[in-house]
PDB file of all heavy atoms in Angstrom:
ATOM      1  N   TYR A  10     -28.370  50.428 -44.170  1.00 98.00           N
ATOM      2  CA  TYR A  10     -27.933  50.498 -42.749  1.00 98.00           C
ATOM      3  C   TYR A  10     -26.489  50.310 -42.581  1.00 98.00           C
ATOM      4  O   TYR A  10     -25.816  49.708 -43.378  1.00 98.00           O
ATOM      5  CB  TYR A  10     -28.732  49.416 -41.912  1.00 98.00           C
ATOM      6  CG  TYR A  10     -28.844  48.046 -42.467  1.00 98.00           C
ATOM      7  CD1 TYR A  10     -27.790  47.128 -42.263  1.00 98.00           C
ATOM      8  CD2 TYR A  10     -29.947  47.592 -43.183  1.00 98.00           C
ATOM      9  CE1 TYR A  10     -27.844  45.801 -42.799  1.00 98.00           C
ATOM     10  CE2 TYR A  10     -30.065  46.307 -43.617  1.00 98.00           C
ATOM     11  CZ  TYR A  10     -29.073  45.409 -43.434  1.00 98.00           C
ATOM     12  OH  TYR A  10     -29.159  44.159 -43.905  1.00 98.00           O
ATOM     13  N   GLU A  11     -26.082  50.889 -41.472  1.00 98.00           N
ATOM     14  CA  GLU A  11     -24.657  50.588 -40.953  1.00 98.00           C
ATOM     15  C   GLU A  11     -24.754  49.483 -39.991  1.00 98.00           C
ATOM     16  O   GLU A  11     -25.421  49.716 -38.887  1.00 98.00           O
ATOM     17  CB  GLU A  11     -24.058  51.797 -40.368  1.00 98.00           C
ATOM     18  CG  GLU A  11     -22.619  51.678 -40.001  1.00 98.00           C
ATOM     19  CD  GLU A  11     -22.078  52.530 -38.923  1.00 98.00           C
ATOM     20  OE1 GLU A  11     -22.434  53.757 -38.877  1.00 98.00           O
ATOM     21  OE2 GLU A  11     -21.349  52.003 -38.109  1.00 98.00           O
ATOM     22  N   ARG A  81     -38.803  57.222 -41.314  1.00 95.00           N
ATOM     23  CA  ARG A  81     -37.570  57.965 -41.232  1.00 95.00           C
ATOM     24  C   ARG A  81     -37.396  58.660 -39.901  1.00 95.00           C
ATOM     25  O   ARG A  81     -36.251  58.761 -39.397  1.00 95.00           O
ATOM     26  CB  ARG A  81     -37.481  58.999 -42.346  1.00 95.00           C
ATOM     27  CG  ARG A  81     -37.189  58.360 -43.753  1.00 95.00           C
ATOM     28  CD  ARG A  81     -37.234  59.432 -44.846  1.00 95.00           C
ATOM     29  NE  ARG A  81     -36.943  58.698 -46.151  1.00 95.00           N
ATOM     30  CZ  ARG A  81     -37.069  59.346 -47.270  1.00 95.00           C
ATOM     31  NH1 ARG A  81     -37.525  60.568 -47.370  1.00 95.00           N
ATOM     32  NH2 ARG A  81     -36.826  58.621 -48.414  1.00 95.00           N
ATOM     33  N   GLU A  86     -30.952  55.945 -36.085  1.00 95.00           N
ATOM     34  CA  GLU A  86     -30.150  56.743 -37.083  1.00 95.00           C
ATOM     35  C   GLU A  86     -29.294  55.874 -38.009  1.00 95.00           C
ATOM     36  O   GLU A  86     -28.858  56.333 -39.011  1.00 95.00           O
ATOM     37  CB  GLU A  86     -29.192  57.610 -36.309  1.00 95.00           C
ATOM     38  CG  GLU A  86     -29.681  58.960 -35.890  1.00 95.00           C
ATOM     39  CD  GLU A  86     -28.547  59.962 -35.649  1.00 95.00           C
ATOM     40  OE1 GLU A  86     -27.475  59.493 -35.259  1.00 95.00           O
ATOM     41  OE2 GLU A  86     -28.762  61.187 -36.012  1.00 95.00           O
ATOM     42  N   GLY A  89     -31.619  53.570 -42.478  1.00 97.00           N
ATOM     43  CA  GLY A  89     -32.246  54.561 -43.351  1.00 97.00           C
ATOM     44  C   GLY A  89     -33.325  53.956 -44.241  1.00 97.00           C
ATOM     45  O   GLY A  89     -33.048  52.961 -44.916  1.00 97.00           O
ATOM     46  N   LEU A  91     -35.092  54.220 -47.532  1.00 97.00           N
ATOM     47  CA  LEU A  91     -34.827  54.890 -48.798  1.00 97.00           C
ATOM     48  C   LEU A  91     -36.134  55.143 -49.615  1.00 97.00           C
ATOM     49  O   LEU A  91     -36.400  56.169 -50.181  1.00 97.00           O
ATOM     50  CB  LEU A  91     -33.828  54.166 -49.669  1.00 97.00           C
ATOM     51  CG  LEU A  91     -32.454  53.915 -48.969  1.00 97.00           C
ATOM     52  CD1 LEU A  91     -31.500  53.223 -49.976  1.00 97.00           C
ATOM     53  CD2 LEU A  91     -31.861  55.233 -48.519  1.00 97.00           C
ATOM     54  N   THR A 120      -1.972  55.517 -45.897  1.00 92.00           N
ATOM     55  CA  THR A 120      -2.552  56.665 -45.108  1.00 92.00           C
ATOM     56  C   THR A 120      -3.904  56.177 -44.590  1.00 92.00           C
ATOM     57  O   THR A 120      -4.802  55.774 -45.311  1.00 92.00           O
ATOM     58  CB  THR A 120      -2.762  57.839 -46.040  1.00 92.00           C
ATOM     59  OG1 THR A 120      -1.563  57.986 -46.767  1.00 92.00           O
ATOM     60  CG2 THR A 120      -3.073  59.047 -45.243  1.00 92.00           C
ATOM     61  N   VAL A 123      -9.890  57.889 -41.356  1.00 97.00           N
ATOM     62  CA  VAL A 123     -10.732  57.681 -40.069  1.00 97.00           C
ATOM     63  C   VAL A 123     -12.260  57.625 -40.476  1.00 97.00           C
ATOM     64  O   VAL A 123     -12.968  56.976 -39.733  1.00 97.00           O
ATOM     65  CB  VAL A 123     -10.447  58.738 -39.028  1.00 97.00           C
ATOM     66  CG1 VAL A 123      -9.063  58.613 -38.552  1.00 97.00           C
ATOM     67  CG2 VAL A 123     -10.841  60.117 -39.485  1.00 97.00           C
ATOM     68  N   PHE A 124     -12.639  58.274 -41.565  1.00 97.00           N
ATOM     69  CA  PHE A 124     -14.036  58.474 -41.737  1.00 97.00           C
ATOM     70  C   PHE A 124     -14.744  57.142 -42.363  1.00 97.00           C
ATOM     71  O   PHE A 124     -15.933  56.917 -42.282  1.00 97.00           O
ATOM     72  CB  PHE A 124     -14.310  59.606 -42.613  1.00 97.00           C
ATOM     73  CG  PHE A 124     -14.000  60.922 -41.989  1.00 97.00           C
ATOM     74  CD1 PHE A 124     -12.721  61.611 -42.314  1.00 97.00           C
ATOM     75  CD2 PHE A 124     -14.715  61.459 -40.942  1.00 97.00           C
ATOM     76  CE1 PHE A 124     -12.369  62.709 -41.678  1.00 97.00           C
ATOM     77  CE2 PHE A 124     -14.299  62.571 -40.310  1.00 97.00           C
ATOM     78  CZ  PHE A 124     -13.160  63.265 -40.663  1.00 97.00           C
ATOM     79  N   ARG A 126     -13.537  54.046 -41.651  1.00 96.00           N
ATOM     80  CA  ARG A 126     -13.010  52.838 -40.936  1.00 96.00           C
ATOM     81  C   ARG A 126     -14.050  51.830 -40.556  1.00 96.00           C
ATOM     82  O   ARG A 126     -13.659  50.673 -40.398  1.00 96.00           O
ATOM     83  CB  ARG A 126     -12.174  53.280 -39.751  1.00 96.00           C
ATOM     84  CG  ARG A 126     -13.055  53.833 -38.548  1.00 96.00           C
ATOM     85  CD  ARG A 126     -12.183  54.335 -37.515  1.00 96.00           C
ATOM     86  NE  ARG A 126     -12.949  54.546 -36.272  1.00 96.00           N
ATOM     87  CZ  ARG A 126     -13.782  55.596 -36.096  1.00 96.00           C
ATOM     88  NH1 ARG A 126     -13.843  56.531 -37.048  1.00 96.00           N
ATOM     89  NH2 ARG A 126     -14.399  55.696 -34.967  1.00 96.00           N
ATOM     90  N   ARG A 127     -15.319  52.211 -40.377  1.00 97.00           N
ATOM     91  CA  ARG A 127     -16.294  51.271 -39.951  1.00 97.00           C
ATOM     92  C   ARG A 127     -16.770  50.351 -41.037  1.00 97.00           C
ATOM     93  O   ARG A 127     -17.407  49.364 -40.804  1.00 97.00           O
ATOM     94  CB  ARG A 127     -17.471  52.003 -39.335  1.00 97.00           C
ATOM     95  CG  ARG A 127     -17.161  52.668 -38.013  1.00 97.00           C
ATOM     96  CD  ARG A 127     -18.440  53.304 -37.427  1.00 97.00           C
ATOM     97  NE  ARG A 127     -18.147  54.043 -36.201  1.00 97.00           N
ATOM     98  CZ  ARG A 127     -17.741  55.262 -36.024  1.00 97.00           C
ATOM     99  NH1 ARG A 127     -17.559  55.970 -37.212  1.00 97.00           N
ATOM    100  NH2 ARG A 127     -17.502  55.813 -34.857  1.00 97.00           N
ATOM    101  N   TRP A 128     -16.421  50.716 -42.358  1.00 98.00           N
ATOM    102  CA  TRP A 128     -16.946  49.826 -43.398  1.00 98.00           C
ATOM    103  C   TRP A 128     -15.804  49.495 -44.422  1.00 98.00           C
ATOM    104  O   TRP A 128     -16.101  48.916 -45.512  1.00 98.00           O
ATOM    105  CB  TRP A 128     -18.154  50.434 -44.058  1.00 98.00           C
ATOM    106  CG  TRP A 128     -18.147  51.871 -44.355  1.00 98.00           C
ATOM    107  CD1 TRP A 128     -17.606  52.542 -45.404  1.00 98.00           C
ATOM    108  CD2 TRP A 128     -18.623  52.928 -43.431  1.00 98.00           C
ATOM    109  NE1 TRP A 128     -17.686  53.877 -45.231  1.00 98.00           N
ATOM    110  CE2 TRP A 128     -18.392  54.119 -44.098  1.00 98.00           C
ATOM    111  CE3 TRP A 128     -19.297  52.917 -42.244  1.00 98.00           C
ATOM    112  CZ2 TRP A 128     -18.708  55.388 -43.522  1.00 98.00           C
ATOM    113  CZ3 TRP A 128     -19.637  54.073 -41.640  1.00 98.00           C
ATOM    114  CH2 TRP A 128     -19.391  55.349 -42.232  1.00 98.00           C
ATOM    115  N   ARG A 236     -16.819  43.697 -40.990  1.00 96.00           N
ATOM    116  CA  ARG A 236     -16.941  45.136 -41.183  1.00 96.00           C
ATOM    117  C   ARG A 236     -16.608  45.636 -42.558  1.00 96.00           C
ATOM    118  O   ARG A 236     -17.148  46.676 -42.960  1.00 96.00           O
ATOM    119  CB  ARG A 236     -16.073  45.865 -40.157  1.00 96.00           C
ATOM    120  CG  ARG A 236     -14.576  45.990 -40.450  1.00 96.00           C
ATOM    121  CD  ARG A 236     -14.026  47.226 -39.807  1.00 96.00           C
ATOM    122  NE  ARG A 236     -12.721  46.922 -39.251  1.00 96.00           N
ATOM    123  CZ  ARG A 236     -11.932  47.834 -38.699  1.00 96.00           C
ATOM    124  NH1 ARG A 236     -12.385  49.170 -38.553  1.00 96.00           N
ATOM    125  NH2 ARG A 236     -10.775  47.579 -38.225  1.00 96.00           N
TER     126      ARG A 236
ATOM    127  N   TYR B  10      -9.177  63.318 -37.952  1.00 98.00           N
ATOM    128  CA  TYR B  10      -9.903  62.661 -36.782  1.00 98.00           C
ATOM    129  C   TYR B  10     -11.349  62.801 -36.939  1.00 98.00           C
ATOM    130  O   TYR B  10     -11.881  63.808 -37.555  1.00 98.00           O
ATOM    131  CB  TYR B  10      -9.395  63.022 -35.469  1.00 98.00           C
ATOM    132  CG  TYR B  10      -9.256  64.549 -35.168  1.00 98.00           C
ATOM    133  CD1 TYR B  10     -10.423  65.264 -34.822  1.00 98.00           C
ATOM    134  CD2 TYR B  10      -8.081  65.175 -35.224  1.00 98.00           C
ATOM    135  CE1 TYR B  10     -10.295  66.613 -34.536  1.00 98.00           C
ATOM    136  CE2 TYR B  10      -7.930  66.560 -34.975  1.00 98.00           C
ATOM    137  CZ  TYR B  10      -8.983  67.249 -34.618  1.00 98.00           C
ATOM    138  OH  TYR B  10      -8.900  68.629 -34.373  1.00 98.00           O
ATOM    139  N   GLU B  11     -12.072  61.772 -36.514  1.00 98.00           N
ATOM    140  CA  GLU B  11     -13.483  61.841 -36.341  1.00 98.00           C
ATOM    141  C   GLU B  11     -13.694  62.340 -34.850  1.00 98.00           C
ATOM    142  O   GLU B  11     -13.378  61.636 -33.916  1.00 98.00           O
ATOM    143  CB  GLU B  11     -14.140  60.505 -36.597  1.00 98.00           C
ATOM    144  CG  GLU B  11     -15.682  60.644 -36.610  1.00 98.00           C
ATOM    145  CD  GLU B  11     -16.359  59.379 -36.222  1.00 98.00           C
ATOM    146  OE1 GLU B  11     -16.013  58.214 -36.683  1.00 98.00           O
ATOM    147  OE2 GLU B  11     -17.307  59.451 -35.464  1.00 98.00           O
ATOM    148  N   GLU B  86      -8.373  54.314 -33.292  1.00 95.00           N
ATOM    149  CA  GLU B  86      -8.839  54.212 -34.641  1.00 95.00           C
ATOM    150  C   GLU B  86      -9.467  55.522 -35.263  1.00 95.00           C
ATOM    151  O   GLU B  86      -9.556  55.710 -36.500  1.00 95.00           O
ATOM    152  CB  GLU B  86      -9.907  53.180 -34.744  1.00 95.00           C
ATOM    153  CG  GLU B  86      -9.362  51.797 -34.964  1.00 95.00           C
ATOM    154  CD  GLU B  86     -10.410  50.869 -35.564  1.00 95.00           C
ATOM    155  OE1 GLU B  86     -11.571  51.083 -35.286  1.00 95.00           O
ATOM    156  OE2 GLU B  86     -10.050  50.003 -36.414  1.00 95.00           O
ATOM    157  N   GLY B  89      -6.135  59.582 -37.135  1.00 97.00           N
ATOM    158  CA  GLY B  89      -5.293  59.036 -38.196  1.00 97.00           C
ATOM    159  C   GLY B  89      -4.098  59.961 -38.385  1.00 97.00           C
ATOM    160  O   GLY B  89      -4.239  61.176 -38.497  1.00 97.00           O
ATOM    161  N   LEU B  91      -1.438  61.303 -40.777  1.00 97.00           N
ATOM    162  CA  LEU B  91      -1.367  61.298 -42.327  1.00 97.00           C
ATOM    163  C   LEU B  91       0.102  61.433 -42.637  1.00 97.00           C
ATOM    164  O   LEU B  91       0.555  60.718 -43.643  1.00 97.00           O
ATOM    165  CB  LEU B  91      -2.179  62.452 -42.880  1.00 97.00           C
ATOM    166  CG  LEU B  91      -3.676  62.443 -42.531  1.00 97.00           C
ATOM    167  CD1 LEU B  91      -4.394  63.586 -43.203  1.00 97.00           C
ATOM    168  CD2 LEU B  91      -4.324  61.134 -42.922  1.00 97.00           C
ATOM    169  N   ASP B 119     -33.807  64.364 -49.225  1.00 89.00           N
ATOM    170  CA  ASP B 119     -34.751  63.777 -48.251  1.00 89.00           C
ATOM    171  C   ASP B 119     -34.220  62.434 -47.848  1.00 89.00           C
ATOM    172  O   ASP B 119     -34.528  62.011 -46.644  1.00 89.00           O
ATOM    173  CB  ASP B 119     -36.084  63.536 -48.994  1.00 89.00           C
ATOM    174  CG  ASP B 119     -37.136  64.472 -48.451  1.00 89.00           C
ATOM    175  OD1 ASP B 119     -36.831  65.355 -47.683  1.00 89.00           O
ATOM    176  OD2 ASP B 119     -38.386  64.187 -48.808  1.00 89.00           O
ATOM    177  N   THR B 120     -33.678  61.633 -48.692  1.00 92.00           N
ATOM    178  CA  THR B 120     -33.237  60.261 -48.489  1.00 92.00           C
ATOM    179  C   THR B 120     -32.079  60.263 -47.466  1.00 92.00           C
ATOM    180  O   THR B 120     -31.134  60.976 -47.730  1.00 92.00           O
ATOM    181  CB  THR B 120     -32.731  59.714 -49.796  1.00 92.00           C
ATOM    182  OG1 THR B 120     -33.662  59.997 -50.849  1.00 92.00           O
ATOM    183  CG2 THR B 120     -32.564  58.225 -49.683  1.00 92.00           C
ATOM    184  N   VAL B 123     -27.085  56.862 -44.088  1.00 97.00           N
ATOM    185  CA  VAL B 123     -26.634  56.401 -42.782  1.00 97.00           C
ATOM    186  C   VAL B 123     -25.121  56.427 -42.567  1.00 97.00           C
ATOM    187  O   VAL B 123     -24.572  56.624 -41.505  1.00 97.00           O
ATOM    188  CB  VAL B 123     -27.094  54.929 -42.464  1.00 97.00           C
ATOM    189  CG1 VAL B 123     -28.560  54.807 -42.446  1.00 97.00           C
ATOM    190  CG2 VAL B 123     -26.579  53.853 -43.545  1.00 97.00           C
ATOM    191  N   PHE B 124     -24.430  56.352 -43.754  1.00 97.00           N
ATOM    192  CA  PHE B 124     -22.964  56.239 -43.572  1.00 97.00           C
ATOM    193  C   PHE B 124     -22.240  57.566 -43.305  1.00 97.00           C
ATOM    194  O   PHE B 124     -21.106  57.615 -42.810  1.00 97.00           O
ATOM    195  CB  PHE B 124     -22.317  55.638 -44.850  1.00 97.00           C
ATOM    196  CG  PHE B 124     -22.837  54.260 -45.095  1.00 97.00           C
ATOM    197  CD1 PHE B 124     -23.823  53.902 -45.983  1.00 97.00           C
ATOM    198  CD2 PHE B 124     -22.308  53.232 -44.273  1.00 97.00           C
ATOM    199  CE1 PHE B 124     -24.316  52.555 -46.156  1.00 97.00           C
ATOM    200  CE2 PHE B 124     -22.768  51.916 -44.449  1.00 97.00           C
ATOM    201  CZ  PHE B 124     -23.735  51.546 -45.405  1.00 97.00           C
ATOM    202  N   ARG B 126     -23.833  60.084 -41.484  1.00 96.00           N
ATOM    203  CA  ARG B 126     -24.597  60.769 -40.479  1.00 96.00           C
ATOM    204  C   ARG B 126     -23.739  61.339 -39.272  1.00 96.00           C
ATOM    205  O   ARG B 126     -24.196  62.295 -38.737  1.00 96.00           O
ATOM    206  CB  ARG B 126     -25.682  59.881 -39.958  1.00 96.00           C
ATOM    207  CG  ARG B 126     -25.143  58.769 -38.970  1.00 96.00           C
ATOM    208  CD  ARG B 126     -26.146  57.839 -38.494  1.00 96.00           C
ATOM    209  NE  ARG B 126     -25.696  57.040 -37.459  1.00 96.00           N
ATOM    210  CZ  ARG B 126     -24.950  55.948 -37.576  1.00 96.00           C
ATOM    211  NH1 ARG B 126     -24.565  55.575 -38.806  1.00 96.00           N
ATOM    212  NH2 ARG B 126     -24.497  55.230 -36.574  1.00 96.00           N
ATOM    213  N   ARG B 127     -22.559  60.822 -39.047  1.00 97.00           N
ATOM    214  CA  ARG B 127     -21.793  61.385 -37.975  1.00 97.00           C
ATOM    215  C   ARG B 127     -21.137  62.730 -38.289  1.00 97.00           C
ATOM    216  O   ARG B 127     -20.568  63.362 -37.437  1.00 97.00           O
ATOM    217  CB  ARG B 127     -20.728  60.378 -37.562  1.00 97.00           C
ATOM    218  CG  ARG B 127     -21.344  59.115 -36.787  1.00 97.00           C
ATOM    219  CD  ARG B 127     -20.219  58.229 -36.333  1.00 97.00           C
ATOM    220  NE  ARG B 127     -20.736  57.057 -35.731  1.00 97.00           N
ATOM    221  CZ  ARG B 127     -21.083  55.871 -36.388  1.00 97.00           C
ATOM    222  NH1 ARG B 127     -21.012  55.903 -37.709  1.00 97.00           N
ATOM    223  NH2 ARG B 127     -21.590  54.891 -35.721  1.00 97.00           N
ATOM    224  N   TRP B 128     -21.038  63.025 -39.608  1.00 98.00           N
ATOM    225  CA  TRP B 128     -20.358  64.312 -39.967  1.00 98.00           C
ATOM    226  C   TRP B 128     -21.180  65.156 -40.911  1.00 98.00           C
ATOM    227  O   TRP B 128     -20.640  66.163 -41.438  1.00 98.00           O
ATOM    228  CB  TRP B 128     -18.987  64.056 -40.486  1.00 98.00           C
ATOM    229  CG  TRP B 128     -18.874  62.934 -41.431  1.00 98.00           C
ATOM    230  CD1 TRP B 128     -19.021  62.911 -42.738  1.00 98.00           C
ATOM    231  CD2 TRP B 128     -18.505  61.551 -41.064  1.00 98.00           C
ATOM    232  NE1 TRP B 128     -18.796  61.683 -43.263  1.00 98.00           N
ATOM    233  CE2 TRP B 128     -18.489  60.796 -42.249  1.00 98.00           C
ATOM    234  CE3 TRP B 128     -18.206  60.876 -39.931  1.00 98.00           C
ATOM    235  CZ2 TRP B 128     -18.199  59.397 -42.324  1.00 98.00           C
ATOM    236  CZ3 TRP B 128     -17.886  59.554 -39.893  1.00 98.00           C
ATOM    237  CH2 TRP B 128     -17.949  58.809 -41.146  1.00 98.00           C
ATOM    238  N   ARG B 236     -21.569  68.445 -35.049  1.00 96.00           N
ATOM    239  CA  ARG B 236     -21.284  67.222 -35.829  1.00 96.00           C
ATOM    240  C   ARG B 236     -21.191  67.496 -37.298  1.00 96.00           C
ATOM    241  O   ARG B 236     -20.483  66.745 -38.072  1.00 96.00           O
ATOM    242  CB  ARG B 236     -22.281  66.138 -35.572  1.00 96.00           C
ATOM    243  CG  ARG B 236     -23.653  66.389 -36.234  1.00 96.00           C
ATOM    244  CD  ARG B 236     -24.297  65.032 -36.453  1.00 96.00           C
ATOM    245  NE  ARG B 236     -25.698  65.029 -36.217  1.00 96.00           N
ATOM    246  CZ  ARG B 236     -26.503  63.975 -36.417  1.00 96.00           C
ATOM    247  NH1 ARG B 236     -26.055  62.838 -36.876  1.00 96.00           N
ATOM    248  NH2 ARG B 236     -27.883  64.123 -36.162  1.00 96.00           N
TER     249      ARG B 236
END
Side-chain angles (χ1 to χ4, degrees):
Chain A
Y10 47 83
E11 188 205 316
R81 285 177 180 168
E86 273 204 326
L91 303 184
T120 312
V123 296
F124 297 102
R126 70 186 194 281
R127 292 183 180 86
W128 42 87
R236 77 153 142 176
Chain B
Y10 47 83
E11 189 206 316
E86 273 204 326
L91 303 183
D119 248 12
T120 314
V123 297
F124 297 102
R126 73 186 191 280
R127 290 184 183 85
W128 42 87
R236 76 153 142 176

